[in-house]
Amino acid sequence: MSTNELQDKKALVTGATSGIGRAVAVKLAEAGATVYVTGRRAELGKETVELIEQAGGTGHFVVADVANIDDVRKLAEEVGEVDILVNNAGIFPFSSTPEQSLDSYEQVFDINVRASYFLTAALAPAMVARKKGAIVNVSSVAAQIGTPVGSVYNASKAAMDALTRSWAVEFGAAGVRVNSVAPGPIRTDMAVETVGEMFEAFSRSTPLTRAGEPEEIAEAVVFLASDKASYITGAVLTADGGLVAT
Ligand SMILES: NC(=O)c1ccc[n+]([C@@H]2O[C@H](COP(=O)([O-])OP(=O)(O)OC[C@H]3O[C@@H](n4cnc5c(N)ncnc54)[C@H](OP(=O)(O)O)[C@@H]3O)[C@@H](O)[C@H]2O)c1
């Protein structure tokens, strides 16, 4: 359903070629924002833009590999000032700690943390100058619970929640709000493939006894990005079917 609550806002969503990021991009556009969609897979990025247009919105795709710091800086330059930044791009290759490779360790932190850090560093100053803006980091309940083969991923998401709190304090006086959404098991291709057979069992173990849909996370992100959340900053909103309550 279209609303106008984000009319005249410009948003950038990373990792919007699929899954949660795509759903966030479409919902921000439905709420009236002009949405910049990014990721490596251009065909899928263009599909997201088409979905935005079918919903009556305006979208643009900018290709970027956020594992590459030069691409992160170019992305910020190309998109320019934004009102809303959603740091969503992420990978979750699982490994036990003894088997963790250095390459994969660095990749997780480069994509899940460093990219968001330097994108925020590049885009927050204009928000501060205009005295308004909202940043939403997509972290994970994995930041709040232990899992047997997710140590690096879990640590990367805990880092994002720590950045949410730091940035809320750093930019709050300038009216810039920063929050996390921490999803539980969400039915995206990547989650279902990575978690495999355990995905359904894990999802059923939540109090709501099911996996979440990407659109349910998008609703939480759009809320935090909108003026409805005007007094909320530094918060981690879990959208996890009650998982961390158990
Ligand atoms: N699904 C879940 O159960 C769940 C739970 C908690 C948290 N999360 C978090 O939600 C976010 C989205 O995950 P998802 O489940 O929606 O998975 P997904 O469909 O695989 O989405 C991941 C997105 O990140 C982008 N990405 C990955 N590596 C990139 C790179 N090097 N450069 C640019 N973009 C890159 C991908 O785009 P390209 O491949 O086109 O580059 C894709 O659009 C992640 O941060 C994940 O940790 C997911």
Side-chain angles (χ1 to χ4, degrees):
M1 192 177 61
S2 299
T3 66
N4 288 327
E5 68 186 322
L6 298 180
Q7 200 68 47
D8 301 325
K9 302 280 188 201
K10 179 175 161 188
L12 169 60
V13 183
T14 68
T17 53
S18 60
I20 292 171
R22 172 177 276 180
V24 168
V26 172
K27 253 187 219 305
L28 286 170
E30 283 174 357
T34 295
V35 183
Y36 284 74
V37 166
T38 187
R40 291 163 301 176
R41 295 169 293 174
E43 278 310 308
L44 295 180
K46 284 173 194 154
E47 263 178 43
T48 303
V49 170
E50 278 165 26
L51 290 171
I52 286 172
E53 286 167 354
Q54 280 162 24
T58 306
H60 306 277
F61 175 68
V62 181
V63 70
D65 178 353
V66 298
N68 178 330
I69 195 66
D70 292 333
D71 265 27
V72 172
R73 294 192 168 121
K74 262 193 273 169
L75 173 65
E77 271 172 31
E78 204 168 327
V79 174
E81 292 186 15
V82 294
D83 303 285
I84 296 164
L85 169 62
V86 182
N87 287 312
N88 165 76
I91 56 168
F92 29 112
F94 291 130
S95 168
S96 71
T97 300
E99 287 169 356
Q100 178 66 49
S101 76
L102 182 59
D103 275 358
S104 165
Y105 177 100
E106 288 179 344
Q107 233 197 351
V108 170
F109 270 88
D110 286 356
I111 295 169
N112 293 12
V113 185
R114 188 181 72 179
S116 304
Y117 189 93
F118 285 100
L119 203 50
T120 301
L123 296 176
M127 293 182 181
V128 167
R130 284 184 282 116
K131 298 211 166 298
K132 57 182 177 161
I135 299 170
V136 182
N137 294 323
V138 177
S139 64
S140 173
V141 286
Q144 301 170 50
I145 56 175
T147 54
V149 287
S151 53
V152 173
Y153 176 72
N154 299 2
S156 76
K157 292 301 185 178
M160 288 312 296
D161 287 345
L163 289 174
T164 289
R165 288 184 284 272
S166 291
W167 289 335
V169 173
E170 187 172 349
F171 304 130
V176 177
R177 297 181 301 100
V178 188
N179 293 288
S180 284
V181 171
I186 306 305
R187 195 177 302 286
T188 65
D189 291 346
M190 167 120 123
V192 172
E193 272 165 35
T194 309
V195 184
E197 288 172 358
M198 290 299 294
F199 183 82
E200 296 303 333
F202 186 53
S203 301
R204 273 196 305 275
S205 77
T206 64
L208 290 183
T209 69
R210 64 171 177 87
E213 299 300 326
E215 291 71 22
E216 294 180 285
I217 301 307
E219 290 288 359
V221 173
V222 172
F223 165 67
L224 288 172
S226 77
D227 288 346
K228 283 184 181 158
S230 55
Y231 201 54
I232 302 177
T233 197
V236 177
L237 174 55
T238 53
D240 66 344
L243 186 67
V244 297
T246 57

PDB file of all heavy atoms in Angstrom, residues 51-72:
ATOM      1  N   LEU A  51      10.590  -3.561 -10.051  1.00  0.00           N
ATOM      2  CA  LEU A  51       9.569  -3.780  -9.002  1.00  0.00           C
ATOM      3  C   LEU A  51       9.164  -2.456  -8.365  1.00  0.00           C
ATOM      4  O   LEU A  51       7.988  -2.222  -8.062  1.00  0.00           O
ATOM      5  CB  LEU A  51      10.100  -4.738  -7.930  1.00  0.00           C
ATOM      6  CG  LEU A  51      10.268  -6.195  -8.366  1.00  0.00           C
ATOM      7  CD1 LEU A  51      11.005  -6.998  -7.292  1.00  0.00           C
ATOM      8  CD2 LEU A  51       8.897  -6.835  -8.626  1.00  0.00           C
ATOM      9  N   ILE A  52      10.161  -1.594  -8.163  1.00  0.00           N
ATOM     10  CA  ILE A  52       9.885  -0.264  -7.597  1.00  0.00           C
ATOM     11  C   ILE A  52       8.968   0.523  -8.531  1.00  0.00           C
ATOM     12  O   ILE A  52       7.989   1.141  -8.097  1.00  0.00           O
ATOM     13  CB  ILE A  52      11.225   0.491  -7.353  1.00  0.00           C
ATOM     14  CG1 ILE A  52      11.948  -0.107  -6.138  1.00  0.00           C
ATOM     15  CG2 ILE A  52      11.005   1.986  -7.191  1.00  0.00           C
ATOM     16  CD1 ILE A  52      13.356   0.420  -5.925  1.00  0.00           C
ATOM     17  N   GLU A  53       9.280   0.457  -9.824  1.00  0.00           N
ATOM     18  CA  GLU A  53       8.469   1.212 -10.795  1.00  0.00           C
ATOM     19  C   GLU A  53       7.057   0.641 -10.887  1.00  0.00           C
ATOM     20  O   GLU A  53       6.091   1.386 -10.970  1.00  0.00           O
ATOM     21  CB  GLU A  53       9.176   1.217 -12.159  1.00  0.00           C
ATOM     22  CG  GLU A  53      10.382   2.152 -12.126  1.00  0.00           C
ATOM     23  CD  GLU A  53      11.336   2.004 -13.310  1.00  0.00           C
ATOM     24  OE1 GLU A  53      11.135   1.077 -14.128  1.00  0.00           O
ATOM     25  OE2 GLU A  53      12.271   2.802 -13.391  1.00  0.00           O
ATOM     26  N   GLN A  54       6.961  -0.716 -10.828  1.00  0.00           N
ATOM     27  CA  GLN A  54       5.619  -1.337 -10.846  1.00  0.00           C
ATOM     28  C   GLN A  54       4.796  -0.879  -9.643  1.00  0.00           C
ATOM     29  O   GLN A  54       3.572  -0.828  -9.703  1.00  0.00           O
ATOM     30  CB  GLN A  54       5.739  -2.862 -10.824  1.00  0.00           C
ATOM     31  CG  GLN A  54       6.059  -3.466 -12.190  1.00  0.00           C
ATOM     32  CD  GLN A  54       6.600  -4.883 -12.078  1.00  0.00           C
ATOM     33  OE1 GLN A  54       6.338  -5.580 -11.091  1.00  0.00           O
ATOM     34  NE2 GLN A  54       7.349  -5.306 -13.073  1.00  0.00           N
ATOM     35  N   ALA A  55       5.494  -0.567  -8.535  1.00  0.00           N
ATOM     36  CA  ALA A  55       4.797  -0.101  -7.328  1.00  0.00           C
ATOM     37  C   ALA A  55       4.532   1.402  -7.392  1.00  0.00           C
ATOM     38  O   ALA A  55       4.069   2.000  -6.414  1.00  0.00           O
ATOM     39  CB  ALA A  55       5.613  -0.447  -6.085  1.00  0.00           C
ATOM     40  N   GLY A  56       4.876   2.021  -8.536  1.00  0.00           N
ATOM     41  CA  GLY A  56       4.606   3.456  -8.701  1.00  0.00           C
ATOM     42  C   GLY A  56       5.712   4.348  -8.180  1.00  0.00           C
ATOM     43  O   GLY A  56       5.542   5.562  -8.068  1.00  0.00           O
ATOM     44  N   GLY A  57       6.878   3.762  -7.864  1.00  0.00           N
ATOM     45  CA  GLY A  57       7.970   4.549  -7.283  1.00  0.00           C
ATOM     46  C   GLY A  57       9.078   4.841  -8.277  1.00  0.00           C
ATOM     47  O   GLY A  57       8.988   4.521  -9.457  1.00  0.00           O
ATOM     48  N   THR A  58      10.148   5.450  -7.750  1.00  0.00           N
ATOM     49  CA  THR A  58      11.311   5.798  -8.573  1.00  0.00           C
ATOM     50  C   THR A  58      12.548   5.136  -7.991  1.00  0.00           C
ATOM     51  O   THR A  58      12.840   5.288  -6.799  1.00  0.00           O
ATOM     52  CB  THR A  58      11.526   7.336  -8.575  1.00  0.00           C
ATOM     53  OG1 THR A  58      10.300   7.936  -8.984  1.00  0.00           O
ATOM     54  CG2 THR A  58      12.638   7.738  -9.527  1.00  0.00           C
ATOM     55  N   GLY A  59      13.273   4.396  -8.843  1.00  0.00           N
ATOM     56  CA  GLY A  59      14.479   3.719  -8.375  1.00  0.00           C
ATOM     57  C   GLY A  59      15.603   3.852  -9.376  1.00  0.00           C
ATOM     58  O   GLY A  59      15.378   4.089 -10.556  1.00  0.00           O
ATOM     59  N   HIS A  60      16.829   3.714  -8.872  1.00  0.00           N
ATOM     60  CA  HIS A  60      18.023   3.743  -9.723  1.00  0.00           C
ATOM     61  C   HIS A  60      18.949   2.649  -9.226  1.00  0.00           C
ATOM     62  O   HIS A  60      19.074   2.452  -8.014  1.00  0.00           O
ATOM     63  CB  HIS A  60      18.761   5.086  -9.592  1.00  0.00           C
ATOM     64  CG  HIS A  60      17.889   6.268  -9.853  1.00  0.00           C
ATOM     65  ND1 HIS A  60      17.614   6.721 -11.117  1.00  0.00           N
ATOM     66  CD2 HIS A  60      17.203   7.079  -8.996  1.00  0.00           C
ATOM     67  CE1 HIS A  60      16.809   7.773 -11.032  1.00  0.00           C
ATOM     68  NE2 HIS A  60      16.539   8.007  -9.761  1.00  0.00           N
ATOM     69  N   PHE A  61      19.627   1.983 -10.165  1.00  0.00           N
ATOM     70  CA  PHE A  61      20.592   0.962  -9.757  1.00  0.00           C
ATOM     71  C   PHE A  61      22.017   1.485  -9.965  1.00  0.00           C
ATOM     72  O   PHE A  61      22.326   2.050 -11.008  1.00  0.00           O
ATOM     73  CB  PHE A  61      20.406  -0.322 -10.572  1.00  0.00           C
ATOM     74  CG  PHE A  61      21.460  -1.351 -10.261  1.00  0.00           C
ATOM     75  CD1 PHE A  61      21.503  -1.983  -9.021  1.00  0.00           C
ATOM     76  CD2 PHE A  61      22.443  -1.665 -11.199  1.00  0.00           C
ATOM     77  CE1 PHE A  61      22.488  -2.913  -8.724  1.00  0.00           C
ATOM     78  CE2 PHE A  61      23.433  -2.607 -10.915  1.00  0.00           C
ATOM     79  CZ  PHE A  61      23.451  -3.224  -9.672  1.00  0.00           C
ATOM     80  N   VAL A  62      22.861   1.290  -8.954  1.00  0.00           N
ATOM     81  CA  VAL A  62      24.283   1.636  -9.059  1.00  0.00           C
ATOM     82  C   VAL A  62      25.076   0.388  -8.696  1.00  0.00           C
ATOM     83  O   VAL A  62      24.935  -0.133  -7.581  1.00  0.00           O
ATOM     84  CB  VAL A  62      24.664   2.782  -8.078  1.00  0.00           C
ATOM     85  CG1 VAL A  62      26.135   3.144  -8.227  1.00  0.00           C
ATOM     86  CG2 VAL A  62      23.780   3.999  -8.298  1.00  0.00           C
ATOM     87  N   VAL A  63      25.905  -0.102  -9.633  1.00  0.00           N
ATOM     88  CA  VAL A  63      26.646  -1.329  -9.345  1.00  0.00           C
ATOM     89  C   VAL A  63      27.821  -1.022  -8.408  1.00  0.00           C
ATOM     90  O   VAL A  63      28.469   0.022  -8.527  1.00  0.00           O
ATOM     91  CB  VAL A  63      27.133  -1.993 -10.666  1.00  0.00           C
ATOM     92  CG1 VAL A  63      28.232  -1.186 -11.341  1.00  0.00           C
ATOM     93  CG2 VAL A  63      27.587  -3.433 -10.425  1.00  0.00           C
ATOM     94  N   ALA A  64      28.052  -1.894  -7.423  1.00  0.00           N
ATOM     95  CA  ALA A  64      29.213  -1.724  -6.533  1.00  0.00           C
ATOM     96  C   ALA A  64      29.506  -3.053  -5.847  1.00  0.00           C
ATOM     97  O   ALA A  64      28.597  -3.784  -5.465  1.00  0.00           O
ATOM     98  CB  ALA A  64      28.917  -0.666  -5.464  1.00  0.00           C
ATOM     99  N   ASP A  65      30.791  -3.346  -5.732  1.00  0.00           N
ATOM    100  CA  ASP A  65      31.228  -4.485  -4.923  1.00  0.00           C
ATOM    101  C   ASP A  65      31.755  -3.895  -3.620  1.00  0.00           C
ATOM    102  O   ASP A  65      32.865  -3.352  -3.570  1.00  0.00           O
ATOM    103  CB  ASP A  65      32.340  -5.247  -5.658  1.00  0.00           C
ATOM    104  CG  ASP A  65      32.868  -6.417  -4.828  1.00  0.00           C
ATOM    105  OD1 ASP A  65      32.476  -6.545  -3.644  1.00  0.00           O
ATOM    106  OD2 ASP A  65      33.672  -7.197  -5.363  1.00  0.00           O
ATOM    107  N   VAL A  66      30.964  -3.980  -2.574  1.00  0.00           N
ATOM    108  CA  VAL A  66      31.323  -3.273  -1.341  1.00  0.00           C
ATOM    109  C   VAL A  66      32.442  -3.967  -0.549  1.00  0.00           C
ATOM    110  O   VAL A  66      32.884  -3.449   0.478  1.00  0.00           O
ATOM    111  CB  VAL A  66      30.098  -2.969  -0.442  1.00  0.00           C
ATOM    112  CG1 VAL A  66      29.114  -2.059  -1.145  1.00  0.00           C
ATOM    113  CG2 VAL A  66      29.438  -4.241   0.063  1.00  0.00           C
ATOM    114  N   ALA A  67      32.908  -5.121  -1.064  1.00  0.00           N
ATOM    115  CA  ALA A  67      34.121  -5.714  -0.474  1.00  0.00           C
ATOM    116  C   ALA A  67      35.340  -4.872  -0.843  1.00  0.00           C
ATOM    117  O   ALA A  67      36.397  -4.982  -0.204  1.00  0.00           O
ATOM    118  CB  ALA A  67      34.302  -7.145  -0.984  1.00  0.00           C
ATOM    119  N   ASN A  68      35.151  -4.040  -1.854  1.00  0.00           N
ATOM    120  CA  ASN A  68      36.240  -3.202  -2.367  1.00  0.00           C
ATOM    121  C   ASN A  68      36.043  -1.769  -1.849  1.00  0.00           C
ATOM    122  O   ASN A  68      35.039  -1.127  -2.162  1.00  0.00           O
ATOM    123  CB  ASN A  68      36.168  -3.275  -3.904  1.00  0.00           C
ATOM    124  CG  ASN A  68      37.206  -2.420  -4.573  1.00  0.00           C
ATOM    125  OD1 ASN A  68      37.620  -1.384  -4.048  1.00  0.00           O
ATOM    126  ND2 ASN A  68      37.608  -2.836  -5.752  1.00  0.00           N
ATOM    127  N   ILE A  69      36.987  -1.281  -1.079  1.00  0.00           N
ATOM    128  CA  ILE A  69      36.811   0.029  -0.431  1.00  0.00           C
ATOM    129  C   ILE A  69      36.724   1.167  -1.453  1.00  0.00           C
ATOM    130  O   ILE A  69      36.015   2.159  -1.234  1.00  0.00           O
ATOM    131  CB  ILE A  69      37.919   0.282   0.631  1.00  0.00           C
ATOM    132  CG1 ILE A  69      37.550   1.448   1.546  1.00  0.00           C
ATOM    133  CG2 ILE A  69      39.291   0.453   0.023  1.00  0.00           C
ATOM    134  CD1 ILE A  69      36.350   1.208   2.421  1.00  0.00           C
ATOM    135  N   ASP A  70      37.392   1.016  -2.598  1.00  0.00           N
ATOM    136  CA  ASP A  70      37.287   2.059  -3.639  1.00  0.00           C
ATOM    137  C   ASP A  70      35.861   2.120  -4.191  1.00  0.00           C
ATOM    138  O   ASP A  70      35.341   3.196  -4.473  1.00  0.00           O
ATOM    139  CB  ASP A  70      38.272   1.788  -4.786  1.00  0.00           C
ATOM    140  CG  ASP A  70      39.708   1.959  -4.334  1.00  0.00           C
ATOM    141  OD1 ASP A  70      39.934   2.738  -3.385  1.00  0.00           O
ATOM    142  OD2 ASP A  70      40.588   1.291  -4.901  1.00  0.00           O
ATOM    143  N   ASP A  71      35.243   0.939  -4.347  1.00  0.00           N
ATOM    144  CA  ASP A  71      33.849   0.899  -4.808  1.00  0.00           C
ATOM    145  C   ASP A  71      32.921   1.566  -3.788  1.00  0.00           C
ATOM    146  O   ASP A  71      31.951   2.234  -4.157  1.00  0.00           O
ATOM    147  CB  ASP A  71      33.388  -0.559  -4.987  1.00  0.00           C
ATOM    148  CG  ASP A  71      33.540  -1.041  -6.425  1.00  0.00           C
ATOM    149  OD1 ASP A  71      34.426  -0.507  -7.118  1.00  0.00           O
ATOM    150  OD2 ASP A  71      32.782  -1.939  -6.833  1.00  0.00           O
ATOM    151  N   VAL A  72      33.209   1.357  -2.501  1.00  0.00           N
ATOM    152  CA  VAL A  72      32.376   1.967  -1.447  1.00  0.00           C
ATOM    153  C   VAL A  72      32.444   3.491  -1.576  1.00  0.00           C
ATOM    154  O   VAL A  72      31.415   4.181  -1.552  1.00  0.00           O
ATOM    155  CB  VAL A  72      32.848   1.522  -0.038  1.00  0.00           C
ATOM    156  CG1 VAL A  72      32.119   2.293   1.056  1.00  0.00           C
ATOM    157  CG2 VAL A  72      32.665   0.015   0.139  1.00  0.00           C
TER     158      VAL A  72
END
